[in-house]
Amino acid sequence: VQLQASGGGLVQAGGSLRLSCAASGRIFSSYTMGWFRQAPGKEREFVAAIRLSGGSTYYADSVKDRFAISRVNAGAKKAVYLQMNSLKPEDTAVYYCAADRYTGRFSELPGEYEYWGQGTLVTVSS
């Protein structure tokens, strides 16, 4: 499984960005896809997750009313997106997409996601 994240950049507070994560390889519709972020000097934290099959979603409280996760699950094409609105300086971090093979859960724990993308930097200026 390969995950390729993109879409990061520099944005002013209050602005928006859309992150993309293209998935390839042996990734199945039963997987859950997640977004995590890691700010300098801090631990990696959960942001949002979505089930490839069905599209159920789950969010961290800190982003629930501002971010939206979505996916494409069409045959070999599998991708996950994170629309980020009303961005704040505290949203500044490297954002990672990840895949969890375990069916039937939404996990906030990075250790329970088996596959990771390379990360994309989001910087929100005040």
Side-chain angles (χ1 to χ4, degrees), residues 55-76:
S56 298
T57 59
Y58 179 70
Y59 294 92
D61 288 341
S62 59
V63 307
K64 190 174 294 185
D65 297 322
R66 301 184 295 122
F67 292 9
I69 190 170
S70 60
R71 96 290 189 220
V72 167
N73 182 23

mmCIF file of all heavy atoms in Angstrom, residues 55-76:
data_model
loop_
_atom_site.group_PDB
_atom_site.id
_atom_site.type_symbol
_atom_site.label_atom_id
_atom_site.label_comp_id
_atom_site.label_asym_id
_atom_site.label_seq_id
_atom_site.Cartn_x
_atom_site.Cartn_y
_atom_site.Cartn_z
ATOM 1 N N GLY A 55 -18.506 5.457 3.736
ATOM 2 C CA GLY A 55 -18.195 6.865 3.950
ATOM 3 C C GLY A 55 -18.480 7.416 5.323
ATOM 4 O O GLY A 55 -18.498 8.641 5.506
ATOM 5 N N SER A 56 -18.709 6.572 6.320
ATOM 6 C CA SER A 56 -18.906 7.083 7.683
ATOM 7 C C SER A 56 -17.668 7.840 8.123
ATOM 8 O O SER A 56 -16.545 7.467 7.803
ATOM 9 C CB SER A 56 -19.190 5.941 8.643
ATOM 10 O OG SER A 56 -20.368 5.269 8.288
ATOM 11 N N THR A 57 -17.892 8.909 8.897
ATOM 12 C CA THR A 57 -16.789 9.769 9.293
ATOM 13 C C THR A 57 -16.718 9.928 10.799
ATOM 14 O O THR A 57 -17.697 9.684 11.528
ATOM 15 C CB THR A 57 -16.925 11.157 8.650
ATOM 16 O OG1 THR A 57 -18.177 11.737 9.061
ATOM 17 C CG2 THR A 57 -16.876 11.068 7.136
ATOM 18 N N TYR A 58 -15.542 10.384 11.239
ATOM 19 C CA TYR A 58 -15.297 10.611 12.662
ATOM 20 C C TYR A 58 -14.253 11.705 12.766
ATOM 21 O O TYR A 58 -13.269 11.699 12.016
ATOM 22 C CB TYR A 58 -14.812 9.316 13.312
ATOM 23 C CG TYR A 58 -14.498 9.429 14.782
ATOM 24 C CD1 TYR A 58 -15.492 9.598 15.724
ATOM 25 C CD2 TYR A 58 -13.174 9.353 15.228
ATOM 26 C CE1 TYR A 58 -15.198 9.695 17.070
ATOM 27 C CE2 TYR A 58 -12.878 9.442 16.566
ATOM 28 C CZ TYR A 58 -13.887 9.611 17.483
ATOM 29 O OH TYR A 58 -13.596 9.702 18.815
ATOM 30 N N TYR A 59 -14.468 12.662 13.684
ATOM 31 C CA TYR A 59 -13.583 13.823 13.784
ATOM 32 C C TYR A 59 -13.086 14.033 15.204
ATOM 33 O O TYR A 59 -13.782 13.734 16.182
ATOM 34 C CB TYR A 59 -14.345 15.084 13.367
ATOM 35 C CG TYR A 59 -14.748 15.124 11.920
ATOM 36 C CD1 TYR A 59 -15.991 14.649 11.509
ATOM 37 C CD2 TYR A 59 -13.894 15.647 10.957
ATOM 38 C CE1 TYR A 59 -16.366 14.689 10.175
ATOM 39 C CE2 TYR A 59 -14.269 15.697 9.618
ATOM 40 C CZ TYR A 59 -15.502 15.211 9.242
ATOM 41 O OH TYR A 59 -15.867 15.261 7.910
ATOM 42 N N ALA A 60 -11.921 14.615 15.297
ATOM 43 C CA ALA A 60 -11.462 15.145 16.572
ATOM 44 C C ALA A 60 -12.301 16.376 16.910
ATOM 45 O O ALA A 60 -12.703 17.131 16.016
ATOM 46 C CB ALA A 60 -9.981 15.520 16.486
ATOM 47 N N ASP A 61 -12.538 16.585 18.188
ATOM 48 C CA ASP A 61 -13.368 17.715 18.608
ATOM 49 C C ASP A 61 -12.797 19.056 18.142
ATOM 50 O O ASP A 61 -13.548 19.989 17.841
ATOM 51 C CB ASP A 61 -13.508 17.717 20.131
ATOM 52 C CG ASP A 61 -14.409 16.593 20.631
ATOM 53 O OD1 ASP A 61 -15.184 16.048 19.823
ATOM 54 O OD2 ASP A 61 -14.317 16.267 21.828
ATOM 55 N N SER A 62 -11.499 19.134 18.069
ATOM 56 C CA SER A 62 -10.843 20.408 17.741
ATOM 57 C C SER A 62 -11.097 20.853 16.311
ATOM 58 O O SER A 62 -10.904 22.026 15.983
ATOM 59 C CB SER A 62 -9.341 20.307 17.990
ATOM 60 O OG SER A 62 -8.785 19.272 17.190
ATOM 61 N N VAL A 63 -11.536 19.942 15.433
ATOM 62 C CA VAL A 63 -11.719 20.297 14.024
ATOM 63 C C VAL A 63 -13.128 20.025 13.539
ATOM 64 O O VAL A 63 -13.450 20.307 12.387
ATOM 65 C CB VAL A 63 -10.712 19.541 13.115
ATOM 66 C CG1 VAL A 63 -9.287 19.753 13.603
ATOM 67 C CG2 VAL A 63 -11.037 18.047 13.035
ATOM 68 N N LYS A 64 -13.983 19.531 14.395
ATOM 69 C CA LYS A 64 -15.284 18.974 13.985
ATOM 70 C C LYS A 64 -16.107 19.929 13.142
ATOM 71 O O LYS A 64 -16.747 19.529 12.172
ATOM 72 C CB LYS A 64 -16.047 18.542 15.226
ATOM 73 C CG LYS A 64 -17.294 17.746 14.943
ATOM 74 C CD LYS A 64 -17.900 17.225 16.234
ATOM 75 C CE LYS A 64 -16.988 16.222 16.897
ATOM 76 N NZ LYS A 64 -17.599 15.606 18.106
ATOM 77 N N ASP A 65 -16.138 21.180 13.475
ATOM 78 C CA ASP A 65 -17.008 22.118 12.753
ATOM 79 C C ASP A 65 -16.280 22.887 11.656
ATOM 80 O O ASP A 65 -16.879 23.748 11.007
ATOM 81 C CB ASP A 65 -17.624 23.108 13.737
ATOM 82 C CG ASP A 65 -18.511 22.430 14.764
ATOM 83 O OD1 ASP A 65 -19.226 21.477 14.381
ATOM 84 O OD2 ASP A 65 -18.479 22.832 15.938
ATOM 85 N N ARG A 66 -15.008 22.556 11.444
ATOM 86 C CA ARG A 66 -14.216 23.307 10.465
ATOM 87 C C ARG A 66 -13.670 22.448 9.338
ATOM 88 O O ARG A 66 -13.450 22.943 8.234
ATOM 89 C CB ARG A 66 -13.051 24.002 11.180
ATOM 90 C CG ARG A 66 -13.488 24.957 12.271
ATOM 91 C CD ARG A 66 -12.298 25.689 12.870
ATOM 92 N NE ARG A 66 -11.390 24.770 13.561
ATOM 93 C CZ ARG A 66 -10.106 24.625 13.258
ATOM 94 N NH1 ARG A 66 -9.569 25.338 12.289
ATOM 95 N NH2 ARG A 66 -9.351 23.783 13.939
ATOM 96 N N PHE A 67 -13.402 21.200 9.608
ATOM 97 C CA PHE A 67 -12.799 20.303 8.616
ATOM 98 C C PHE A 67 -13.834 19.294 8.136
ATOM 99 O O PHE A 67 -14.756 18.912 8.877
ATOM 100 C CB PHE A 67 -11.629 19.545 9.221
ATOM 101 C CG PHE A 67 -10.422 20.378 9.556
ATOM 102 C CD1 PHE A 67 -10.441 21.763 9.500
ATOM 103 C CD2 PHE A 67 -9.248 19.757 9.963
ATOM 104 C CE1 PHE A 67 -9.325 22.520 9.813
ATOM 105 C CE2 PHE A 67 -8.122 20.496 10.291
ATOM 106 C CZ PHE A 67 -8.165 21.877 10.225
ATOM 107 N N ALA A 68 -13.647 18.833 6.898
ATOM 108 C CA ALA A 68 -14.517 17.803 6.346
ATOM 109 C C ALA A 68 -13.675 16.780 5.594
ATOM 110 O O ALA A 68 -12.887 17.154 4.715
ATOM 111 C CB ALA A 68 -15.547 18.412 5.415
ATOM 112 N N ILE A 69 -13.841 15.524 5.951
ATOM 113 C CA ILE A 69 -13.125 14.445 5.282
ATOM 114 C C ILE A 69 -14.063 13.793 4.269
ATOM 115 O O ILE A 69 -15.260 13.634 4.532
ATOM 116 C CB ILE A 69 -12.586 13.417 6.299
ATOM 117 C CG1 ILE A 69 -11.640 12.419 5.637
ATOM 118 C CG2 ILE A 69 -13.717 12.719 7.045
ATOM 119 C CD1 ILE A 69 -10.900 11.524 6.642
ATOM 120 N N SER A 70 -13.528 13.429 3.121
ATOM 121 C CA SER A 70 -14.318 12.755 2.095
ATOM 122 C C SER A 70 -13.429 11.753 1.376
ATOM 123 O O SER A 70 -12.216 11.741 1.584
ATOM 124 C CB SER A 70 -14.911 13.765 1.105
ATOM 125 O OG SER A 70 -13.882 14.490 0.457
ATOM 126 N N ARG A 71 -14.057 10.925 0.554
ATOM 127 C CA ARG A 71 -13.249 9.914 -0.131
ATOM 128 C C ARG A 71 -13.819 9.600 -1.494
ATOM 129 O O ARG A 71 -14.975 9.869 -1.796
ATOM 130 C CB ARG A 71 -13.141 8.650 0.737
ATOM 131 C CG ARG A 71 -14.116 7.503 0.455
ATOM 132 C CD ARG A 71 -15.524 7.810 0.839
ATOM 133 N NE ARG A 71 -16.368 6.623 0.749
ATOM 134 C CZ ARG A 71 -17.604 6.640 0.277
ATOM 135 N NH1 ARG A 71 -18.158 7.777 -0.134
ATOM 136 N NH2 ARG A 71 -18.296 5.515 0.220
ATOM 137 N N VAL A 72 -12.964 9.027 -2.323
ATOM 138 C CA VAL A 72 -13.347 8.392 -3.575
ATOM 139 C C VAL A 72 -13.010 6.923 -3.424
ATOM 140 O O VAL A 72 -11.901 6.572 -3.020
ATOM 141 C CB VAL A 72 -12.595 9.012 -4.768
ATOM 142 C CG1 VAL A 72 -12.762 8.159 -6.001
ATOM 143 C CG2 VAL A 72 -13.060 10.438 -5.012
ATOM 144 N N ASN A 73 -13.973 6.083 -3.723
ATOM 145 C CA ASN A 73 -13.765 4.637 -3.632
ATOM 146 C C ASN A 73 -14.429 4.016 -4.854
ATOM 147 O O ASN A 73 -15.566 3.565 -4.805
ATOM 148 C CB ASN A 73 -14.376 4.089 -2.345
ATOM 149 C CG ASN A 73 -14.140 2.607 -2.182
ATOM 150 O OD1 ASN A 73 -13.204 2.060 -2.767
ATOM 151 N ND2 ASN A 73 -14.970 1.948 -1.407
ATOM 152 N N ALA A 74 -13.713 4.055 -5.973
ATOM 153 C CA ALA A 74 -14.269 3.605 -7.243
ATOM 154 C C ALA A 74 -13.292 2.656 -7.897
ATOM 155 O O ALA A 74 -12.379 3.082 -8.611
ATOM 156 C CB ALA A 74 -14.547 4.798 -8.153
ATOM 157 N N GLY A 75 -13.475 1.377 -7.649
ATOM 158 C CA GLY A 75 -12.589 0.380 -8.223
ATOM 159 C C GLY A 75 -11.164 0.586 -7.744
ATOM 160 O O GLY A 75 -10.899 0.635 -6.553
ATOM 161 N N ALA A 76 -10.270 0.732 -8.695
ATOM 162 C CA ALA A 76 -8.867 0.903 -8.340
ATOM 163 C C ALA A 76 -8.559 2.309 -7.838
ATOM 164 O O ALA A 76 -7.499 2.547 -7.267
ATOM 165 C CB ALA A 76 -7.997 0.586 -9.549
#
